[in-house]
Amino acid sequence: MASCGYRDFPGRRWLVVFLRAGHIAGVVGVGAGLLGGATVPATAFVLLMVLSGVAMALLDAWSNSTWLAELAGVSLLVKFALLGWFLADAAARPILFWLILVFSVVFAHAPASFRHRRLGRQASGDV
């Protein structure tokens, strides 16, 4: 894949697997706190969720120079904006948690032809 501008390194796949596991653990910790009635999510879980998510995003951006111009990259920017709102607005946190969760799952599991579509371009194939 090097001919299409994709960069990789040995162990990248396992690094992403462990980052994703940490990310999911952070999401579960934040959700458990919200469902348990906490008004402020536990800092450790928020940090785990955000830092692992940022690390995965940086890896994606490094691996694929066009990633931020694709729907996958743009969706992450939207997710970061929603996360900022989540952190700033305690009253909206429960609904924002579910909105961000569903939004993330839809984009993570959408067909690659959709996720990797560049803005302003039509993709062919499974849409």
Side-chain angles (χ1 to χ4, degrees), residues 1-17:
M1 279 190 135
S3 63
C4 61
Y6 185 84
R7 296 192 288 183
D8 204 359
F9 58 87
R12 179 184 175 279
R13 176 81 171 166
W14 280 108
L15 176 59
V16 171
V17 166

Side-chain angles (χ1 to χ4, degrees), residues 96-112:
L96 285 169
F97 174 80
W98 293 109
L99 177 66
I100 294 167
L101 182 70
V102 171
F103 180 81
S104 299
V105 170
V106 167
F107 265 91
H109 296 282

Side-chain angles (χ1 to χ4, degrees), residues 26-112:
V27 170
V28 169
V30 169
L34 285 172
L35 292 173
T39 57
V40 177
T43 303
F45 286 119
V46 171
L47 284 174
L48 181 60
M49 179 180 68
V50 171
L51 292 178
S52 59
V54 167
M56 287 188 293
L58 289 173
L59 272 173
D60 284 341
W62 176 83
S63 297
N64 176 2
S65 61
T66 63
W67 179 74
L68 277 173
E70 297 174 352
L71 288 178
V74 172
S75 75
L76 185 77
L77 297 176
V78 169
K79 190 162 70 168
F80 282 153
L82 290 170
L83 183 60
W85 183 9
F86 174 91
L87 293 172
D89 187 352
R93 281 186 188 139
I95 190 68
L96 285 169
F97 174 80
W98 293 109
L99 177 66
I100 294 167
L101 182 70
V102 171
F103 180 81
S104 299
V105 170
V106 167
F107 265 91
H109 296 282

